[in-house]
Each structure stands twice: as structure tokens, then as C-alpha cells.
Amino acid sequence: MAGTTEESIKERTVGHQEAGQQTVAGHSDRQRAFLASLAGGLRPGQIAEDESTRTAYSVDQGPLLERHLPLAVVWAESVEDVQNIVRSCAAHQVPIVARGAGTGVSGGAHATQGCIVLSLERMNRILDLNPDDETAVVEPGVINAELNAAAAEHGLMYAPDPASYKMSTIGGNVATNAGGLRCAKYGVTRDSVLALDVVLADGSLLHTGHQTFKGVAGYDLTALLVGSEGTLAIVVGVTVRLKYLPREVHTIAAFYQDFRSAAAGVLAVGKARVQPAIMELLDNGTLTQLDEMNGSDLQTRGKSLLLIQTDGFGAAAEADVVRQVLAEGGATVTTEASEEAEMLVELRRNSRGVEMDDEFRVGEDIAVPRSRLVDFVAELEAMADRFQVRLKVVAHAGDGNLHPTFWMDRVDPATDADALVRLNAALDESIRVGLEMGGTITGEHGVGQYKLRWLGLEQPEPVRELQRRIKELFDPAGILNPGKAI
């Protein structure tokens, strides 16, 4: 299971040096002393200081506000490694940015000035999988899809399934409280985490939570740590609850002539009191992109797609109700063969596109109450026209979490400057309107670095101050992922 991301980064990196072979010009004496001390406690191959590796590991897939190269990239291979690395950083007051596969899209794993990047991708063992208790204990570098494959052998699954599940790590999913397509029925990562093993900012090891499904003793520190984006502690072990692998899955594809009608279909299914496992909404811009990328013909079937899956022993009966409700609402409803159903779901998982977000293309994950989906989509379309930016929208419609992407084409420096002004104005407006509708600035991607500019619009100062005090309690010196999340 080791090194999928690490190997791909090495393939992209020209002149990759073996750990410790190259020192970095421009480091201060203090920094060189720290790096020498750090390397002394590690095995060969666990630390890299060359520029190409530091560059590759300096960012995740989120928009980059300002690039900083870490002093070094360090790969932990055990809990003891993490403890020793953190103790060394604490002694030298060096910030630590922990990362898994780097698939985050909010800049939560961007390097900060003077930091080291601590990669946990080599800590990738499934330590225990108990089919009777329906739990698993994993290291943070375990890939989401690989845990699911192991659980499936026992008729079980790990329910959270972010679109990046084939490459994202459980530790990264925990850090961002990742969601996914199955959130409508099974919830986000926090709903599947029972216990955590974490290394605190002083290098001490702490276990939180319980092995049982129920447990209410004391404050819920596990829930606090899930979604804290590496700012409170570094996750080194995760105990998760597994769910039953559905024996039957039915997929319904409903094509509409406009996105607003498809959003209305979401509410109609809810009024029928059916609980789909997956309920995804794709607009015409997304269908266009998917057809271009995959040679499919989705646009010939409609201008918007509502993709619904029911699962479990009642999947067929629930699917019949869904088909009837959607057809009554004007949709062209198809009953997909299993092969095409899997294709449609995979196309949805890849609907964000392969390119990284940057200053000319930013995807958001605003969530609004489901009753406001139709209104919010209408507002987004109006914004795109008003600010003359391009727009595509996909949504986890079952829980009101939308992923609008605004973008502009690069033309020339003079045009680009104006385009960036309009793009940022559209982003700001989408956040403001979403909050006015009772929404949130992030449903599943996290605040990271990029969304700090909007956090104050959602959370009043007393709430933010309390969070800063919690941060100070866990991390008095402020060395854990500074400048992120809060």
C-alpha cells in the first residue's frame, strides 16, 4: 500500500536526491543545526532537502496564495518517528505541516514559512480489522480505497467516500472531516471515527475515544480532533466503525432540461421519504466537460443530471418510488444496467476535473439547507452572468453541499488582471449569498488556508476566540500547521 503519492511525486521530480545528500543554500546556522539534529534521529531515506522534492511537497491541490518551500520533507514510518520529529521541532520552534496524499483542495497542507513537511504516507498498515465488532484500526497513511477493499472481504465497508478515495488517505480524511458521495445516508468522516491516537505538540502520545459504538464519557475530544486540519495534533492511528456492504444497489439517472428542475427533484425525493445512499446533481457545464473528457454523450440526454443510488435489501422498492417521483416532475428517467451505473458514478467522482485549482479556477464547497438548493443555484447562475465568469456546478444534493466552480481563461496580462477581479468578486458573492441562506463556507473540504478570508463572515468573534484558546491549549507554541483552519 505504500507510496502511491510519494512515487508519483518522485516521477514528476527532476534530479531527486537521496535523503541528506544535498543541503540547501541560504539556511541559517540555526536551521542547519536543526536539520542535522533531525536527520540524526532518522534512517536513510526519511528526509529530503533538495529543492525539487521540497517544491513537490510544498502544496496540496488547493489555490496557492503564496508559495513557501519547507526546510525539508520528512517521511515518518512509525509512531515513534512522529514523536521524535515533533519533539525535535518543538525544541527548535520549527513549524510542522503534516500531510497524507496531498489531495486536499483548501490549502490545508500548503507549506508555511520555515516549516518542515511531515508526510505520513509510509504509515500505511491496517493494524486490525474485526468483522464481529465491525471496526478497523489503521495507520494514517492507509488509502481509503484499500481499507474498503479489505473490509469488503468480510461483507463490510468504510462508508466515507470522498471523490479522491482511490488516492486520499484515512489520516487526511480525518484531518479535513472529508465527505463524499455516500454522505446523504452514511454521514461524513466524523460519523465513522470511534477513536484516535494522536501526537501532541510536545511529542506526547494521546488516545481519545472508545472501541464501542456508543460512549459519552467526558468531552468528545475525538470529534474535536476530526476536522482540525492538523492544527491541534498529528493523527497516527484511527479506529473506525464499518458498515454493512450493501448486497443490492440500484442506480437511477434522471435527465432534466435545466438545473433548477433537477434541484427541485431532490426535494421531491425527500418528500417521498426515501433515503438514497447517493444523490448527486450535475449541471450542463459539468456534463459538457465530462463528454469532452470521456467521449460520452450525456448532453444529448439532457442539460442536467440527477444521479441517485439506493442500497440495501430495500433498494429495488426505494428505486421504484424514486423513478415515479422524478418522472412525475418532468425528468427523463432511465434504468441503468449495472455497468453503466458504475460508469456514471465514476464520471461523477471525476467531475471536478484533473487540473488543480489556481487563481483562475476555484471550486468551492458551500452547503445550504436543502430547501434553498433551487434558490442558490439560480443565484449562482445570475452571478456568473453578472461577473462574466464561467461556471459549472456539481452537488452532493442529498445534504445540500454544492461544488460551484468559477473560472476564467487566461488571455494576456492586462485581460487577466481584470478577470481575476471579476472571479474573486463572484467567489465573494457566492459565499455571502450562501451564508444569507443559512449555509456554510465549507461542507467537507475544510477551511485550510484559502478560506480563512471568509471564516469571519460565518463565525462571530467570540466563537473564533474560543477556538484560538483551544488551539493554544493543545499547541502553546503554535508549531502545528500555523495559519490554517482558524
Side-chain angles (χ1 to χ4, degrees):
M1 295 191 292
T4 301
T5 301
E6 179 183 339
E7 291 305 315
S8 65
I9 288 175
K10 287 182 179 179
E11 289 171 5
R12 299 196 305 268
T13 302
V14 179
H16 177 80
Q17 301 289 322
E18 288 299 320
Q21 285 186 350
Q22 180 180 343
T23 58
V24 182
H27 282 348
S28 67
D29 290 342
R30 181 183 64 82
Q31 290 170 331
R32 282 193 288 270
F34 159 71
L35 291 171
S37 171
L38 185 64
L42 298 169
R43 290 172 289 283
Q46 284 189 271
I47 183 170
E49 299 176 40
D50 61 283
E51 185 174 352
S52 55
T53 302
R54 292 186 298 131
T55 299
Y57 277 80
S58 66
V59 295
D60 58 24
Q61 294 186 13
L64 183 61
L65 300 177
E66 184 179 8
R67 182 183 290 274
H68 295 285
L69 295 190
L71 300 178
V73 178
V74 185
W75 290 273
E77 297 176 356
S78 66
V79 174
E80 291 74 21
D81 279 349
V82 177
Q83 290 184 276
N84 290 335
I85 292 165
V86 171
R87 287 177 183 134
S88 182
C89 288
H92 292 83
Q93 293 296 287
V94 173
I96 306 167
V97 176
R99 66 175 276 150
T103 59
V105 292
S106 293
H110 285 351
T112 53
Q113 187 169 13
C115 77
I116 66 160
V117 167
L118 173 58
S119 172
L120 301 165
E121 61 193 306
R122 294 183 186 176
M123 294 179 63
N124 54 18
R125 295 178 299 161
I126 297 175
L127 301 175
D128 181 59
L129 201 161
N130 189 320
D132 292 327
D133 287 340
E134 300 162 18
T135 61
V137 182
V138 303
E139 291 183 322
V142 170
I143 302 297
N144 184 300
E146 292 177 355
L147 174 57
N148 260 298
E153 296 179 8
H154 305 279
L156 298 168
M157 69 175 182
Y158 177 62
D161 65 331
S164 59
Y165 78 106
K166 291 182 179 179
M167 64 189 79
S168 63
T169 63
I170 299 299
N173 294 168
V174 169
T176 59
N177 193 21
L181 275 65
R182 292 194 290 244
C183 284
K185 185 172 184 177
Y186 297 103
V188 294
T189 297
R190 182 178 286 121
D191 299 306
S192 289
V193 174
L194 297 174
L196 291 173
D197 296 296
V198 299
V199 172
L200 299 177
D202 62 358
S204 59
L205 183 65
L206 180 72
H207 179 81
T208 71
H210 38 78
Q211 304 298 118
T212 55
F213 292 167
K214 295 173 70 176
V216 295
Y219 295 142
D220 193 347
L221 297 181
T222 303
L224 173 64
L225 290 166
V226 176
S228 62
E229 303 188 46
T231 63
L232 300 181
I234 296 172
V235 174
V236 293
V238 188
T239 301
V240 299
R241 177 178 182 175
L242 303 175
K243 302 288 187 178
Y244 301 134
L245 188 67
R247 293 184 177 272
E248 190 173 0
V249 175
H250 284 252
T251 301
I252 303 102
F255 288 91
Y256 292 83
Q257 291 309 305
D258 63 83
F259 194 54
R260 299 178 202 182
S261 297
V266 173
L267 298 181
V269 171
K271 290 176 181 177
R273 299 302 182 246
V274 174
Q275 178 59 74
I278 290 177
M279 204 171 190
E280 299 295 308
L281 197 51
L282 292 75
D283 76 342
N284 188 56
T286 304
L287 298 184
T288 299
Q289 183 184 53
L290 289 175
D291 284 346
E292 292 172 351
M293 291 171 56
N294 302 284
S296 51
D297 64 347
L298 299 176
Q299 289 179 91
T300 66
R301 303 161 75 175
K303 299 300 183 184
S304 184
L305 170 63
L306 179 56
L307 182 62
I308 294 177
Q309 277 190 354
T310 58
D311 68 2
F313 287 105
E318 289 181 331
D320 287 342
V321 174
V322 170
R323 291 189 191 97
Q324 179 180 346
V325 167
L326 298 183
E328 290 173 353
T332 301
V333 183
T334 60
T335 304
E336 307 294 348
S338 59
E339 184 175 342
E340 186 172 9
E342 293 174 7
M343 180 271 291
L344 285 171
V345 173
E346 284 306 306
L347 286 181
R348 162 59 188 97
R349 291 186 188 280
N350 296 321
S351 61
R352 217 180 135 257
V354 295
E355 69 271 39
M356 290 174 63
D357 283 343
D358 61 20
E359 69 270 27
F360 286 92
R361 176 189 181 278
V362 180
E364 279 306 318
D365 75 314
I366 303 166
V368 298
R370 287 204 323 175
S371 62
R372 302 304 303 271
L373 270 174
V374 177
D375 299 330
F376 190 55
V377 168
E379 290 283 353
L380 289 172
E381 292 174 341
M383 288 173 211
D385 289 338
R386 186 162 64 254
F387 294 105
Q388 297 180 307
V389 297
R390 300 174 71 181
L391 169 72
K392 70 184 184 75
V393 183
V394 296
H396 304 304
D399 54 21
N401 190 184
L402 299 99
H403 297 305
T405 298
F406 293 106
W407 82 96
M408 304 289 297
D409 294 321
R410 289 180 173 86
V411 182
D412 58 65
T415 304
D416 287 352
D418 178 64
L420 283 175
V421 171
R422 287 185 283 113
L423 179 66
N424 280 294
L427 287 169
D428 290 341
E429 182 75 356
S430 70
I431 294 294
R432 183 188 64 78
V433 171
L435 290 173
E436 285 181 354
M437 292 185 178
T440 175
I441 65 174
T442 174
E444 61 183 3
H445 292 166
V447 173
Q449 183 185 72
Y450 188 73
K451 297 177 189 174
L452 282 173
R453 68 201 239 197
W454 298 314
L455 185 59
L457 300 177
E458 177 173 341
Q459 295 185 337
E461 184 53 32
V463 172
R464 298 190 70 187
E465 173 59 22
L466 184 57
Q467 291 178 93
R468 287 191 285 266
R469 289 165 61 188
I470 292 171
K471 162 73 171 173
E472 185 177 1
L473 179 63
F474 274 84
D475 179 22
I479 65 170
L480 297 181
N481 210 11
K484 315 288 178 57
I486 64 166

